Amino acid sequence: AAADPVSSSGAPEDGPKDSSSVSQNISDADAFKILLEMKMKKRQKKPTLPSTVTELGTEDGSKVYVVGTAHFSDSSKKDVVKTIQEVQPDVVVVELCQYRVSMLKMDEKTLLKEAKEINLEKLQQAIKQNGVMSGLMQMLLLKVSAHITEQLGMAPGGEFREAFKEASKVPFCKFHLGDRPIPVTFKRAIAALSFWQKVKLAWGLCFLSDPISKDDVEKCKQKDLLEQMMAEMIGEFPDLHRTIVSERDIYLTYMLKQAAKQIELPRASETEPRRYIPAVVVGVVGMGHVPGIEKNWNSDLNIQEIMSVPPPSASSKIFKFVIKATVFGLMGYGCYRIGQRTVQFILSMPAAQSYLQKLTEIKSQH
């Protein structure tokens, strides 16, 4: 607003004549300082935060407020909104990666429809994007999410959408995606399982049908519902838990610490010394990740190892061959059955029977 000249048309003659020149003379650095001061005045020095918020700090004085959420909870959305409004952050980090960023701009109705529909097209897209094994694993996990969605009538990711909206209202607030890319997570998860473990896990995910109530979701505020359900199924697979939960705890912690670096203030000229202030960050993650983030906060983290994708094992190749053979076998059998029924239907038609009778008479004459 300060950068836009004030129009003088229609203004009284005795009004302030220099308002436009003042606006034009304000530099970008001055405008930044004015808006920053407004933001600082709105920021609460001792914010009143929900019980689901964990406060962490860095050596240079930056503060990180981690909001632990349940992914299917209305109260979690309110917690996120209140936290962002109270602390007026410089950066908001959410537990999403670029492969799931579309959910931020989709409306609730569309998301609800998308979450419930798991079709062949989605399966093909997942396999094309992540490979056969990882694609199937992703679809099975989507089935778990769709099951919760159907039971509750609530689309997932509401807390992330609220974070995105609120962050856009805060001056100079950046919005970061803080989760490890899905393909990496699934490929590392698949590589951690033996052939029979993959079969057993797929079986458990396929036949998930336990009813879930909204009260169950709120009870899981201390441990995210989706991750709790997964933990119950993968409890006997410690390597799988490591790749899906523990490694992502490390990745989320690393991204939060990167976001919490000090902020450089604007300079009027190149000769002016650089000045920095501590950053304020809000992290929005599933409640199940909060203990891991606290545990890793003061550690030196290197994410290179957890970003690598190991080559497929022999069991993965066998499982992949079995899946392909099953799919092609079913397709072949389906074509055979369709073809057989089509031939029977054509032969049963009066015109076809008449034509065959004529052929038989012609053949007998010769």
Side-chain angles (χ1 to χ4, degrees):
D4 291 331
V6 179
S7 173
S8 59
S9 60
E13 289 294 325
D14 57 349
K17 297 179 181 179
D18 59 341
S19 59
S20 61
S21 61
V22 170
S23 297
Q24 289 173 340
N25 290 334
I26 292 179
S27 65
D28 290 343
D30 289 336
F32 183 94
K33 288 176 182 177
I34 291 170
L35 289 173
L36 187 62
E37 285 175 7
M38 292 170 62
K39 176 178 176 176
M40 292 302 181
K41 286 179 181 178
K42 198 172 180 181
R43 179 180 288 172
Q44 301 296 319
K45 292 182 179 179
K46 294 183 179 179
T48 305
L49 300 174
S51 59
T52 52
V53 177
T54 300
E55 184 178 340
L56 301 169
T58 66
E59 293 179 356
D60 55 24
S62 296
K63 291 183 178 180
V64 178
Y65 299 93
V66 183
V67 188
T69 67
H71 293 315
F72 292 84
S73 169
D74 282 327
S75 62
S76 284
K77 292 190 280 187
K78 294 174 184 176
D79 290 351
V80 169
V81 171
K82 181 174 177 59
T83 303
I84 293 176
Q85 289 177 349
E86 287 278 316
V87 305
Q88 293 290 297
D90 303 300
V91 186
V92 171
V93 181
V94 296
E95 185 197 330
L96 286 176
C97 69
Q98 65 266 35
Y99 293 91
R100 292 182 291 160
V101 73
S102 60
M103 72 163 56
L104 292 174
K105 294 186 177 181
M106 293 172 71
D107 61 86
E108 193 81 8
K109 186 177 179 181
T110 304
L111 275 166
L112 199 59
K113 183 181 177 182
E114 286 283 324
K116 289 180 179 179
E117 291 181 356
I118 298 180
N119 50 36
L120 183 60
E121 185 180 348
K122 285 187 178 180
L123 176 60
Q124 289 174 335
Q125 185 178 359
I127 290 175
K128 184 179 179 181
Q129 188 180 79
N130 306 316
V132 175
M133 295 300 303
S134 299
L136 289 171
M137 175 68 78
Q138 182 178 347
M139 292 308 296
L140 289 172
L141 290 175
L142 280 175
K143 183 180 182 296
V144 177
S145 180
H147 171 63
I148 301 173
T149 299
E150 187 175 1
Q151 292 280 319
L152 301 181
M154 183 187 300
E159 73 274 33
F160 303 137
R161 289 188 292 281
E162 290 298 327
F164 183 65
K165 290 176 189 175
E166 288 301 315
S168 66
K169 300 175 186 177
V170 179
F172 311 114
C173 183
K174 297 178 181 178
F175 190 86
H176 289 184
L177 304 176
D179 202 2
R180 183 172 66 179
I182 280 181
V184 176
T185 297
F186 283 131
K187 285 174 183 177
R188 287 183 63 84
I190 290 297
L193 297 176
S194 68
F195 173 76
W196 292 113
Q197 284 176 328
K198 290 167 187 171
V199 172
K200 195 171 184 179
L201 178 64
W203 182 267
L205 289 169
C206 283
F207 292 94
L208 177 73
S209 58
D210 294 336
I212 303 161
S213 68
K214 290 190 177 182
D215 289 337
D216 291 332
V217 178
E218 296 308 322
K219 286 176 185 176
C220 291
K221 198 75 177 291
Q222 299 307 312
K223 192 172 185 182
D224 182 66
L225 177 63
L226 182 57
E227 287 173 6
Q228 180 167 320
M229 293 177 69
M230 286 302 301
E232 290 174 359
M233 285 184 287
I234 67 178
E236 59 188 291
F237 311 132
D239 289 334
L240 190 60
H241 184 274
R242 171 178 54 79
T243 54
I244 291 181
V245 180
S246 301
E247 289 184 358
R248 287 172 60 227
D249 289 346
I250 294 171
Y251 191 91
L252 287 165
T253 306
Y254 178 84
M255 295 302 288
L256 286 168
K257 292 179 81 170
Q258 290 295 307
K261 290 182 176 180
Q262 288 190 321
I263 298 170
E264 182 182 351
L265 294 175
R267 295 181 294 163
S269 66
E270 291 295 326
T271 57
E272 185 179 338
R274 296 179 183 273
R275 292 187 301 135
Y276 298 86
I277 59 172
V280 173
V281 179
V282 169
V284 183
V285 303
M287 181 60 76
H289 289 293
V290 176
I293 291 171
E294 286 187 275
K295 177 184 174 183
N296 293 302
W297 188 252
N298 294 316
S299 304
D300 292 328
L301 304 175
N302 183 358
I303 63 169
Q304 295 303 317
E305 184 181 344
I306 62 172
M307 288 298 291
S308 63
V309 178
S313 62
S315 63
S316 294
K317 292 177 180 178
I318 293 170
F319 194 68
K320 182 177 179 179
F321 174 77
V322 170
I323 291 293
K324 281 188 174 181
T326 303
V327 170
F328 284 117
L330 289 172
M331 288 175 64
Y333 179 72
C335 291
Y336 165 73
R337 293 291 294 173
I338 291 170
Q340 191 180 41
R341 289 180 181 179
T342 303
V343 171
Q344 289 176 350
F345 174 74
I346 292 172
L347 291 177
S348 66
M349 295 176 67
Q353 290 180 353
S354 174
Y355 182 72
L356 288 172
Q357 187 176 0
K358 287 180 180 180
L359 285 175
T360 305
E361 290 173 357
I362 293 170
K363 188 176 180 180
S364 60
Q365 289 174 3
H366 290 283

